[in-house]
Amino acid sequence: MSVVQTEIDRFLGSSAVPLYVGGSWTPARGGAAFEVRQPADGSVLAVVASGDGADIDDAVTAATRAFPEWAGRSANERATLLHRYADAIEASAEVLANLESLDVGKPVKDATGFDVPFAAKAFRYFADLSVNVRRSQPLPVEHIEARQVQVPYGPCGFIFPWNFPFLLYAWGVAPALAAGNTVVVKPAELTPLSTLYACHLAAQVGIPAGVVNVVPGLGRTAGAALSQHSGIRRMSFTGSPEVGRAVAQEAARNLVPCKLELGGKGAAVIFDDVDVGDTARKLAGAITLNTGQVCCTATRWFVHQNVLDELVSEASKALSEISIGPGDDEATTMGPLVSETQRQRVLGYVDKGISTGATALLEGGAVRPEGHEGGYYVRPMLLAGGPDNVCAKEEIFGPVAYVIPFRDEQTVIGSVNSSRYGLANSVWSGDLDRANRVAERLEAGNSWINAHNVFAYGLPYGGVNLSGYGGGVNSPETLFDYLRHQTIARPLS
Ligand code: NAD
């Protein structure tokens, strides 16, 4: 058995993986636990303690106790610890990537090449930003010596979805911790393992007890308790608009500010002056990344009539060459969906779309790779039809794209903007003036040019309309989201 597998087995243990609260590993107070399944074959991967309101209460108490000491440290000291945390993540990259692959289903090579190193970088980026931020700003006010200081809020609550658990954990907590807040995290019940392993690394590098607390549990128990807790000073949620709305409403009852990063129905607008083969391959890559379970991915393809047939043909070829299998197989380029429920959701959407007028340009459906018959696999699909079809409008969250032809620039802008979502779109054209012009007119948090799914630290990422509320990640503004203003004033008699 490999060293990595031995470490994963040690971590998952023979009984329920406990909660991490106040620097201690502890069973859930109510004794409940839930099973976590491997998407690759449907078998039970781990049993995890299932926290409820009492555990959330303990975690908020621990985060409240730890706050003054953590906030009182210099930005430098916190940044040094966060760099050590990033060091530890990098040193454990193989374990984390394998754990993420087992839990989410994604290829190990994707988790190794992207999720884990990019997560480590989040801690480095916000650590460095935080030491260079001016925390006290003199105010030019008549007859008053005045300044505005920026201070952390206190315990911050985080609720995360299952699709990129480790990366989203880092995107969320890194700015909050760098700013001097403490955190209580509720990971998704489908994929809590890498977040729990991250607690082990936090303890290893000396992040003080109570600064990071993780309470896995169900949404309606642990998640609801966290969003309702009056001891939380700032709430952040990533997930579906439906649950986001409920979380924001609960936080609002306590007048706790809340930011939401939500779903999407991203479009790619493809003009007729592109390299069609290259564009088709990149879009095929976009919709199969993480088996299409990507909030911002290109799910609506608006293709100029002149290149429609060629693009569909090239994309179908690229999608047919995708190698579907378990994440630990080197040959796999697309893993399973995260759960049987998710598979039924994806297939259900496609059935409904086809029964209401959509046609399949590339047929997909369930697939059962030999030796992995219990896994949650589907083949990628291309659909076409009218703009009002359910598959053109709703978030499917699987490897499915919906193709709609267009002829002119003005019309396609209106079609893209008819979506209630507003997370991310892309424009593909050899004419950069046109690409920039169209990119600016698309109503979303992000418009990418000649690429889809573009991420970098320093590049703000967030959504509007159904895709986001008061939020955004990955930029200096994100650090400021976790600092509140305080005015200090002394009248000069
Ligand atoms: P979800 O909304 O069902 O669940 C998200 C989290 O909320 C989970 O931890 C869940 O346990 C918790 N939850 C469920 N009910 C709750 C309640 N009543 N109170 C409090 N918490 C509750 O989303 P999901 O299915 O896990 O993830 C998929 C969604 O996330 C998609 O819509 C996707 O687009 C979105 N997403 C958005 C971003 C972004 O950055 N904008 C990133 C990743 C995923």
Side-chain angles (χ1 to χ4, degrees):
M1 188 183 286
S2 75
V3 179
V4 168
Q5 194 55 51
T6 306
E7 173 59 3
I8 289 175
D9 289 347
R10 182 204 64 77
F11 175 66
L12 298 181
S14 49
S15 53
V17 181
L19 324 173
Y20 185 70
V21 174
S24 301
W25 293 97
T26 141
R29 276 187 181 257
F34 57 88
E35 286 177 349
V36 174
R37 286 181 184 273
Q38 275 194 70
D41 61 11
S43 65
V44 175
L45 173 61
V47 175
V48 174
S50 185
D52 62 15
D55 302 295
I56 290 289
D57 211 31
D58 289 346
V60 176
T61 302
T64 306
R65 281 209 193 106
F67 174 64
E69 198 273 332
W70 181 245
R73 291 190 183 201
S74 70
N76 254 331
E77 262 184 276
R78 283 195 301 268
T80 305
L81 265 181
L82 293 180
H83 272 293
R84 283 197 197 134
Y85 197 22
D87 292 342
I89 290 168
E90 283 164 3
S92 297
E94 245 191 293
V95 173
L96 282 163
N98 278 277
L99 202 51
E100 197 77 331
S101 169
L102 287 167
D103 205 1
V104 186
K106 62 182 77 197
V108 174
K109 57 178 181 277
D110 290 2
T112 307
F114 178 60
D115 302 54
V116 175
F118 203 47
K121 228 173 159 179
F123 289 100
R124 299 199 189 285
Y125 173 72
F126 285 108
D128 291 348
L129 256 188
S130 67
V131 294
N132 292 306
V133 157
R134 187 196 267 197
R135 294 285 187 112
S136 175
Q137 175 83 33
L139 299 173
V141 180
E142 223 179 341
H143 309 308
I144 299 175
E145 181 190 77
R147 68 199 160 92
Q148 196 174 49
V149 292
Q150 310 214 49
V151 290
Y153 281 85
C156 294
F158 288 87
I159 299 176
F160 291 115
W162 44 258
N163 59 338
F164 287 90
F166 190 61
L167 189 56
L168 294 175
Y169 163 77
W171 285 5
V173 306
L177 295 174
N181 301 279
T182 53
V183 302
V184 177
V185 175
K186 206 299 274 176
E189 51 271 49
L190 283 175
T191 60
L193 300 177
S194 56
T195 309
L196 286 162
Y197 195 80
C199 297
H200 156 69
L201 299 178
Q204 193 185 80
V205 301
I207 292 181
V211 169
V212 174
N213 305 277
V214 174
V215 181
L218 306 182
R220 61 178 182 276
T221 50
L226 183 54
S227 52
Q228 289 161 4
H229 205 291
S230 59
I232 288 295
R233 293 285 176 264
R234 184 108 176 67
M235 189 67 212
S236 301
F237 171 85
T238 310
S240 63
E242 300 72 34
V243 179
R245 186 178 285 120
V247 168
Q249 280 169 347
E250 295 298 349
R253 280 185 220 283
N254 294 319
L255 300 181
V256 170
C258 178
K259 53 185 285 201
L260 308 175
E261 318 295 338
L262 306 172
K265 189 72 189 172
V269 178
I270 303 124
F271 285 96
D272 58 356
D273 57 353
V274 294
D275 175 336
V276 176
D278 185 55
T279 305
R281 278 188 294 280
K282 285 178 177 156
L283 287 173
I287 66 156
T288 50
L289 173 72
N290 213 35
T291 321
Q293 303 162 116
V294 179
C295 49
C296 55
T297 204
T299 57
R300 294 179 292 155
W301 296 1
F302 291 91
V303 187
H304 195 283
Q305 190 73 51
N306 292 347
V307 290
L308 180 65
D309 291 346
E310 191 186 350
L311 187 117
V312 169
S313 153
E314 292 284 342
S316 300
K317 191 165 155 256
L319 290 168
S320 307
E321 284 165 5
I322 295 281
S323 169
I324 299 167
D328 63 357
D329 185 336
E330 263 295 305
T332 295
T333 48
M334 189 178 88
L337 291 162
V338 74
S339 64
E340 185 56 32
T341 306
Q342 186 60 19
R343 181 159 72 166
Q344 291 311 323
R345 176 191 157 106
V346 171
L347 298 175
Y349 263 121
V350 172
D351 283 350
K352 198 167 163 199
I354 290 177
S355 69
T356 54
T359 51
L361 301 175
L362 176 70
E363 301 224 5
V367 57
R368 300 185 188 280
E370 211 187 316
H372 305 282
E373 287 80 4
Y376 315 129
Y377 302 90
V378 292
R379 277 194 302 263
M381 287 160 258
L382 286 181
L383 302 176
D388 290 329
N389 189 276
V390 66
C391 292
K393 294 175 93 159
E394 293 186 21
E395 186 180 39
I396 299 174
F397 230 49
V400 184
Y402 193 90
V403 180
I404 304 173
F406 76 94
R407 280 196 185 281
D408 74 277
E409 188 177 313
Q410 293 310 319
T411 316
V412 76
I413 291 169
S415 305
V416 172
N417 290 345
S418 68
S419 173
R420 294 175 66 218
Y421 288 102
L423 188 52
N425 301 302
S426 57
V427 185
W428 303 73
S429 174
D431 175 349
L432 288 185
D433 287 341
R434 170 163 67 185
N436 276 285
R437 186 171 66 232
V438 174
E440 276 190 36
R441 293 197 48 208
L442 300 181
E443 195 180 321
N446 315 273
S447 280
W448 296 311
I449 292 177
N450 294 339
H452 206 100
N453 298 331
V454 181
F455 290 97
Y457 295 111
L459 194 63
Y461 172 77
V464 297
N465 304 334
L466 276 195
S467 295
Y469 177 77
V473 292
N474 295 348
S475 73
E477 291 85 347
T478 322
L479 182 72
F480 292 114
D481 278 346
Y482 293 99
L483 289 166
R484 63 177 178 82
H485 297 304
Q486 188 159 333
T487 302
I488 318 275
R490 179 175 69 91
L492 297 171
S493 61

